[in-house]
Amino acid sequence: MKKQIAFDCALVTEYMMQHELEQMAPKVRQAHDMLSAGTGPGGKHTGWIRWPEVYNRAEYARIKRTGETIRNRAEAFIVIGIGGSYLGARAAIEMLCPAFYNQWSRACRKAPEVYFAGHQMSASYTANLLRLIEEKEVYINVISKSGTTLEPALAFRLFRELLEKRYGKEGARKRIIVTTDNTHSPLKKIAEREGYETFGIPDNIGGRYAVLTSVGLLPMAVAGIDVDTVLAGAADAVRLCGTPDVDGNPAYRYAALRRLFYDKGKTIELLASYEPGLRYVAEWWKQLFGESEGKDGKGIFPASLHFSTDFHSMGQYVQEGRRDLFMTTLWVEALREQITVPQMADDTDGLGYLSGVSLHEMNRKACEGAMLAHTQGGVPNLRIIVPEATPYYFGQLVYFFEKACGISGYLFGVNPFDQPGVEAYKRNMFRLLGKPKTM
């Protein structure tokens, strides 16, 4: 039987009495009932809850076929999107593909180089990316549920122009894939007019909860990630995170503890990881919880740290700064690669006592030492243990966080499926850019 993601809260007993958690149980049960029945705020956007079990099989087969075609033909694959339209796919690729993925030979990768655009408006970044792919066979996937978000819309215009100049209209048509709203998106209208292959984003699933739809699965498939196993892990997580009780459901226990910490003045959560490949898992997590909880003057501020690197920059603050923090460590138990410290005749560096010890084991001791030190310093520590960095556990981890986030939003009394504050900057930006009011 496969191991499951584990949630460890053993170090928070001095911050949390058992009766406090027990008193949260009825509120968690109420949140569970609203989420499951779709009767809470934003309930029409809870299609992700059963998605790993009820996903569209016909479209999924097309995702796999298209992914294989691009994987075999493209030298560079450009994912154009922002926020939930790209963070999940990037998290998967960074976590599951080897470090320096794009620098490996095509023979080792067995897939194209993967790059991202449309997640900012930097002229230098975009110009350098366009220059980088000048001599490469290029396919692009533009992802936008609304089809009107400025950053990916601009990038799509630039890359579409590049493909049409290089391959002509017909050649570009074969190399552009659109992922968008099934009915209302302007991007959908462009795709229909131009004849681009199109994948739909379900109406009842918002962008930041859409990793396990075509939004994330097509880029994963292009990169050679086993998407069958991703969905299998997520489907198992539906069952793992399906019970309504705090004790038996790790996602609900995590959500309940976060809310209790918040009530005790711990308003900032630091997601810490010890593997560089988890950096974009943390970026996706920040958007998931930040956009879902941060409204109505409420919410925990999500931030991330990457250890042991950040021990040497932020470690001091965590240990002795303001005590409004708590930390959740994302720990991968077993790694595919192992490196041990070599034995050397000359021990001038004083590291002879570490000869034969693996770097991963040293990372483990650093993690355990930091969790103890931070807890003793007034920063409660939680830990999420991922057995391995594999597609199965990526799918499980995504669903764990999504379920915890939905429950947490309801515990805060907000709608975890809208983002009204995001529109404020857009209105000002478009006004300053002189956008006609009729558009």
Side-chain angles (χ1 to χ4, degrees):
M1 185 174 178
K2 278 185 177 289
K3 293 180 179 179
Q4 306 298 317
I5 284 176
F7 178 62
D8 173 17
C9 56
L11 289 179
V12 304
T13 53
E14 65 182 90
Y15 296 97
M16 203 68 58
M17 302 299 290
Q18 181 60 29
H19 73 267
E20 293 180 283
L21 198 55
E22 290 171 357
Q23 288 169 0
M24 285 291 293
K27 297 176 183 177
V28 170
R29 179 59 186 256
Q30 182 183 28
H32 166 85
D33 290 344
M34 289 194 300
L35 193 64
S36 300
T39 56
K44 65 180 181 180
H45 296 296
T46 55
W48 55 272
I49 295 175
R50 308 302 302 182
W51 184 258
E53 297 175 328
V54 303
Y55 62 89
N56 184 318
R57 265 57 177 183
E59 180 164 87
Y60 178 66
R62 195 160 56 87
I63 287 170
K64 292 177 68 175
R65 288 195 301 271
T66 303
E68 183 178 11
T69 297
I70 298 171
R71 189 166 63 249
N72 291 334
R73 295 178 182 177
E75 295 175 294
F77 179 62
I78 315 297
V79 179
I80 299 174
I82 196 167
S85 294
Y86 95 103
L87 282 170
R90 189 161 191 176
I93 292 168
E94 296 270 342
M95 175 177 168
L96 302 175
C97 295
F100 316 111
Y101 169 86
N102 284 336
Q103 282 71 51
W104 288 80
S105 70
R106 173 65 191 237
C108 291
R109 277 197 320 270
K110 298 182 174 61
E113 299 165 18
V114 180
Y115 298 101
F116 297 88
H119 55 293
Q120 34 64 25
M121 292 185 284
S122 166
S124 57
Y125 177 99
T126 306
N128 286 323
L129 180 55
L130 289 166
R131 192 171 300 121
L132 178 66
I133 63 172
E134 281 179 352
E135 305 298 325
K136 300 181 188 296
E137 175 67 21
V138 177
Y139 281 67
I140 68 173
N141 178 203
V142 55
I143 307 168
S144 176
K145 186 167 188 178
S146 70
T148 60
T149 306
L150 183 61
E151 293 91 339
L154 287 172
F156 179 45
R157 178 174 282 217
L158 291 167
F159 283 90
R160 179 181 168 192
E161 179 190 48
L162 178 145
L163 293 185
E164 289 181 353
K165 284 183 176 178
R166 182 183 298 181
Y167 302 112
K169 279 267 191 179
E170 183 59 32
R173 181 176 297 118
K174 298 174 182 177
R175 294 167 173 84
I176 295 173
I177 297 89
V178 170
T179 306
T180 190
D181 177 89
N182 282 310
T183 54
H184 308 298
S185 164
L187 192 54
K188 173 78 170 179
K189 294 175 183 176
I190 294 173
E192 289 174 344
R193 185 185 70 225
E194 299 295 333
Y196 304 145
E197 181 162 15
T198 307
F199 293 95
I201 304 173
D203 290 339
N204 60 354
I205 300 179
R208 58 187 177 274
Y209 291 86
V211 186
L212 302 173
T213 72
S214 56
V215 169
L217 293 178
L218 179 59
M220 289 185 222
V222 171
I225 293 169
D226 183 351
V227 290
D228 288 343
T229 307
V230 170
L231 286 173
D236 283 351
V238 173
R239 295 181 282 276
L240 178 69
C241 303
T243 59
D245 62 295
V246 173
D247 288 331
N249 188 322
Y252 288 12
R253 194 172 184 86
Y254 173 53
L257 285 169
R258 294 177 77 253
R259 176 67 217 217
L260 287 171
F261 287 149
Y262 181 82
D263 289 342
K264 292 174 181 284
K266 305 293 186 181
T267 58
I268 299 170
E269 181 177 10
L270 304 172
L271 186 71
S273 62
Y274 287 74
E275 287 297 323
L278 296 176
R279 183 175 297 272
Y280 271 88
V281 172
E283 292 301 311
W284 170 77
W285 170 87
K286 285 193 289 189
Q287 191 221 1
L288 178 68
F289 279 88
E291 276 197 355
S292 297
E293 288 182 348
K295 55 199 71 165
D296 302 341
K298 304 173 186 176
I300 294 168
F301 184 84
S304 59
L305 294 174
H306 305 284
F307 293 144
S308 63
T309 304
D310 284 338
F311 284 149
H312 303 272
S313 57
M314 294 298 293
Q316 172 63 38
Y317 187 97
V318 175
Q319 192 65 34
E320 297 183 349
R322 288 172 57 94
R323 301 297 78 188
D324 50 3
L325 311 171
F326 70 96
M327 182 175 291
T328 300
T329 295
L330 192 55
W331 175 257
V332 178
E333 186 64 21
L335 300 183
R336 293 185 294 270
E337 310 283 353
Q338 291 292 343
I339 292 181
T340 58
V341 178
Q343 177 76 49
M344 301 184 75
D346 179 3
D347 193 31
T348 306
D349 60 10
L351 298 179
Y353 74 102
L354 294 174
S355 297
V357 179
S358 73
L359 293 185
H360 188 54
E361 184 59 24
M362 283 188 270
N363 233 359
R364 184 192 308 277
K365 298 307 180 187
C367 174
E368 292 170 357
M371 289 180 68
L372 285 170
H374 294 154
T375 300
Q376 292 161 0
V379 177
N381 269 247
L382 306 170
R383 183 168 57 157
I384 297 165
I385 302 169
V386 181
E388 297 177 83
T390 64
Y392 177 83
Y393 292 114
F394 177 80
Q396 209 173 84
L397 185 64
V398 164
Y399 192 85
F400 170 91
F401 278 134
E402 288 180 347
K403 198 69 182 295
C405 189
I407 292 294
S408 187
Y410 285 160
L411 291 178
F412 275 100
V414 301
N415 179 350
F417 308 114
D418 67 356
Q419 51 279 337
V422 174
E423 302 305 315
Y425 97 88
K426 291 183 180 180
R427 287 191 296 271
N428 287 332
M429 176 179 65
F430 287 134
R431 176 177 56 81
L432 292 167
L433 286 170
K435 180 179 178 179
K437 292 184 179 180
T438 56
M439 292 182 66

